[in-house]
Amino acid sequence: MKAVGFYLIYPILWIISRLPFPIVYVLSDFFYFITYYIIGYRKEIIKNNLRIAFPNKDEKEITRLAKKSTQHFCDIFIEMIKSMGMSKMSMKKRFLCKNPETVNAFAKAKRPLIVMFGHQASYEWTMVLDEVLDYKVYAIYKPLKNKRWNTLIVNIRKKFNSELVAMKEATAAMKESAEKEAALFALVADQSPMAGRAQYFTNFFNVPSAVFKGAERIAREHQTAVVFLRVTKVKRGYYETEFVNITTNGAETKDWQITDTFFQLLEEQIIKQPEYYLWSHKRWKSTLENTKHAVELSPRVQQ
């Protein structure tokens, strides 16, 4: 049945990917209406996350942000489909990088690099950056359970010749690469561990939040440079990116410095455009109370 569903839906996605953007966004608006008003997809999760992050905002503003966030979520989904039929030139015009030289300087020095970014603005189109970077790029991703859909998503994301690495294989791949070549690893670093399995906590919007520290461990162990990728939505279908240095050498940083700097930069970015963050994921599902492991607290939590 899964195979039948895939082969029935794929032609529709192919057609959508060839439609002009104005029509594509009409479809996105339709999906938004169904998602928010009919299905109510994670509506209360989105609103509750917004209440936690912005306790001073009233319910009217929380509702407005929830609607805008859901609409943006639909745009991201439709833009991912649209990218199947877009030329590289078209995508580069819509996803600009302000300072690729910041990263290419590390490549010229043959330094391995980790790029950390969050579920803010467009995280799907970050693959476009491969075209302007002088690195072999490895993108860390979470595979889908359905193999056919996963293959489709992988093929879309490999359009600019980056290599995809499954999340569970990321640490091993990063260690192996650090010993062989100066590669770039890009990862969405604001993922939250499963409830009860969290071990590391930092402050995110003044709330103790479970995080992963894998990128920091690799950077400190292999003297890897680390940058934050700031993605800003300019208008519908157009984005600007900017690389922000976190460290030129992870081995020279203090414990938690890389992780905490990333979350601080991400939080600042979200505050500027809160409607473009993926509030539908359960950011605070893991707490200090429900975890089953001995926890390690960031200095930001201990303050």
Side-chain angles (χ1 to χ4, degrees):
M1 288 299 294
K2 291 182 179 179
V4 172
F6 174 81
Y7 290 117
L8 287 175
I9 295 175
Y10 179 79
I12 298 174
L13 301 183
W14 188 92
I15 292 171
I16 292 174
S17 72
R18 268 67 183 176
L19 294 175
F21 266 100
I23 297 177
V24 164
Y25 285 125
V26 169
L27 288 175
S28 182
D29 288 339
F30 172 73
F31 292 150
Y32 159 67
F33 180 82
I34 298 297
T35 302
Y36 188 85
Y37 290 101
I38 307 301
I39 300 175
Y41 175 73
R42 297 200 169 189
K43 186 185 295 187
E44 288 308 311
I45 292 175
I46 294 170
K47 288 185 176 181
N48 190 54
N49 282 340
L50 285 165
R51 292 186 190 107
I52 293 172
F54 302 101
N56 295 326
K57 294 188 182 297
D58 59 29
E59 281 302 303
K60 182 177 180 181
E61 179 65 4
I62 293 295
T63 299
R64 185 190 73 82
L65 289 175
K67 290 179 179 179
K68 293 288 290 183
S69 180
T70 303
Q71 184 177 48
H72 176 67
F73 171 77
C74 293
D75 279 0
I76 290 295
F77 175 74
I78 206 77
E79 286 169 3
M80 182 179 65
I81 296 172
K82 176 62 179 169
S83 65
M84 292 169 56
M86 292 175 66
S87 68
K88 290 185 178 181
M89 183 176 296
S90 176
M91 294 191 73
K92 286 172 66 177
K93 287 181 179 179
R94 289 174 171 271
F95 200 86
L96 299 176
C97 183
K98 296 168 66 175
N99 61 340
E101 67 279 358
T102 298
V103 165
N104 289 335
F106 290 116
K108 187 176 181 179
K110 299 187 183 303
R111 296 289 311 283
L113 181 69
I114 295 174
V115 177
M116 304 172 74
F117 56 100
H119 286 92
Q120 175 75 7
S122 177
Y123 40 91
E124 291 291 348
W125 278 4
T126 52
M127 60 184 175
V128 180
L129 298 178
D130 296 9
E131 195 76 357
V132 298
L133 301 180
D134 299 333
Y135 268 109
K136 171 62 178 178
V137 176
Y138 294 86
I140 311 301
Y141 83 111
K142 185 177 182 179
L144 301 177
K145 292 182 180 180
N146 186 298
K147 292 184 179 180
R148 290 177 177 84
W149 287 114
N150 187 69
T151 299
L152 175 63
I153 297 300
V154 168
N155 288 337
I156 291 174
R157 292 175 177 172
K158 288 175 66 176
K159 189 169 186 174
F160 287 82
N161 301 318
S162 59
E163 191 76 27
L164 270 73
V165 178
M167 189 178 295
K168 65 180 181 180
E169 301 168 359
T171 301
M174 291 168 76
K175 286 183 177 180
E176 181 179 353
S177 175
E179 297 169 357
K180 293 182 179 180
E181 61 180 336
L184 183 156
F185 280 86
L187 67 154
V188 181
D190 60 343
Q191 302 278 6
S192 181
M194 295 177 61
R197 299 183 63 180
Q199 183 176 358
Y200 305 104
F201 285 81
T202 189
N203 265 2
F204 188 48
F205 285 97
N206 295 315
V207 179
S209 306
V211 298
F212 292 103
K213 286 184 68 181
E216 176 173 322
R217 285 198 300 270
I218 296 296
R220 297 184 71 193
E221 181 179 348
H222 295 283
Q223 305 178 35
T224 305
V226 184
V227 299
F228 170 71
L229 178 64
R230 179 183 291 131
V231 187
T232 302
K233 187 169 185 175
V234 179
K235 61 181 180 179
R236 207 172 198 185
Y238 289 87
Y239 305 88
E240 283 186 354
T241 63
E242 182 180 11
F243 291 106
V244 180
N245 280 329
I246 292 179
T247 179
T248 57
N249 187 341
E252 298 176 353
T253 62
K254 297 178 181 179
D255 189 26
W256 279 102
Q257 183 177 332
I258 292 172
T259 303
D260 279 351
T261 302
F262 163 73
F263 277 99
Q264 179 181 341
L265 290 168
L266 177 61
E267 186 175 320
E268 291 171 357
Q269 179 190 14
I270 294 169
I271 289 172
K272 292 179 180 178
Q273 293 188 314
E275 64 272 36
Y276 301 140
Y277 188 62
L278 185 66
W279 296 108
S280 58
H281 68 313
K282 296 180 179 180
R283 171 67 260 181
W284 290 285
K285 61 179 178 287
S286 295
T287 67
L288 292 171
E289 290 74 29
N290 70 17
T291 186
K292 299 177 182 178
H293 296 272
V295 300
E296 179 183 317
L297 302 180
S298 154
R300 296 180 72 188
V301 179
Q302 298 177 47
Q303 290 175 352

